[in-house]
Amino acid sequence: MLYLVGLGLSYKSDITVRGLEAVRNCSRIYLEHYTSILMAASLEELEEYYGKPVILADRELVESGSEEILHDARTQDVAFLVVGDVFGATTHTDLVLRAKRESIPVEVIHNASVMNAVGSCGLQLYNFGQTVSMVFFTESWKPDSWYDKIWENRKIGLHTLVLLDIKVKEQSIENMARGRLIYEPPRYMSISQCCEQLLEIEDARGTIAYTPNTPAVAISRLGSSTQTFKAGTIEELSRYDAGEPLHSLIILGRQCHELELEYLLEFTDDKEGFKKAVIEDQEFFKPAPWVPPVEDED
Ligand SMILES: C[S@@+](CC[C@H](N)C(=O)[O-])C[C@H]1O[C@@H](n2cnc3c(N)ncnc32)[C@H](O)[C@@H]1O
């Protein structure tokens, strides 16, 4: 059996009881190690907790070396651990399809994901549109396909969850060119960098999907003991130091219910200023009034 097990958001003990029982009975355990991190537990702590060695699975192993993960899984139990939920903003359907092709039975054991836990900032999950991912820009590479999705969400008044880039096991261009297998330290995008990139692309596009004064919520280390929310405009949050990773951002949609707003006001130092930014954003992005079609008089 191949078990795909969600680990939850922060602590080693966030794994579900069913997940833990399955993991402890597995002969090999892989921890997917490139789309998220378990903030409050080291690899050694996990190994001690499960009573088994844990193999770190980088992108290369999961995407190109899945035969190693699936090896023997028809006769032995193998666990593939994913931080958060197995299918929460990650693409492990490929591994499931490969297992099925090889007639390996698969069981998924779910857990909390950033995709649902963001609800703890007070915004209703019902009011979210498409989730987008913000990647690190370079001098020559500034992918911005997320911009159109934010624009679509904002046109119908929905909130946008922005997930931020993580780079692990990355080679410098020089080391890559010289064929040296030396990796850079892991990098995690911060709220401030994400907001700067948002403003840079809005400036370049000029479509006005949002403005520097559009209200947003910074979310740091969700589900950990230092979880923090900060409400402010995109401009303000581009100067906000959110501390240690992981970070996510929510760009508010125009359909912000008054209860949602009341909850968010707890996370700002300038309640009046934030309320004003929300009202002005709602007013500015208000859709044009509906005009009924003219009746044909013949
Ligand atoms: C590719 S997603 C993987 C999500 C994961 N599978 C899950 O279900 O939660 C990783 C991104 O989600 C966001 N994220 C994940 N966990 C987070 C947390 N605890 N607090 C804040 N943001 C988080 C970060 O932007 C991070 O770079």
Side-chain angles (χ1 to χ4, degrees), residues 8-10 32 34-37 39 82-90 92 111-116 118 133 161-166 188-189 219-224 245-249:
L9 291 172
S10 186
E32 189 262 73
Y34 57 94
T35 64
S36 201
I37 50 165
M39 291 173 292
V82 181
V83 175
D85 186 59
V86 177
F87 297 121
T90 44
H92 296 306
N111 211 316
S113 167
V114 63
M115 304 277 296
N116 68 276
V118 288
S133 293
L161 172 62
V162 187
L163 301 177
L164 313 191
D165 203 3
I166 293 180
Y188 306 96
M189 187 183 287
I219 294 171
S220 352
R221 300 170 299 282
L222 195 55
S224 79
L246 296 165
H247 299 170
S248 297
L249 181 82

Side-chain angles (χ1 to χ4, degrees), residues 31-36 56-66 69 80 91-92 98 165-169:
L31 171 62
E32 189 262 73
H33 184 55
Y34 57 94
T35 64
S36 201
L56 287 183
D58 58 20
R59 186 183 295 278
E60 203 182 324
L61 177 64
V62 177
E63 290 179 1
S64 320
S66 60
I69 299 172
F80 183 74
T91 49
H92 296 306
R98 285 181 211 204
D165 203 3
I166 293 180
K167 289 261 185 272
V168 279
K169 247 188 145 186

Side-chain angles (χ1 to χ4, degrees), residues 274-292:
F274 186 74
K275 220 171 174 174
K276 187 164 167 270
V278 170
I279 293 166
E280 282 177 3
D281 195 73
Q282 286 172 332
E283 195 54 34
F284 187 80
F285 288 94
K286 199 165 63 182
W290 183 73
V291 181

Side-chain angles (χ1 to χ4, degrees), residues 7 13 15 29 45-46 74 214 231 275 281:
L7 294 189
S13 51
I15 190 169
I29 304 166
E45 285 168 327
L46 288 182
R74 223 173 309 157
T214 289
K275 220 171 174 174
D281 195 73

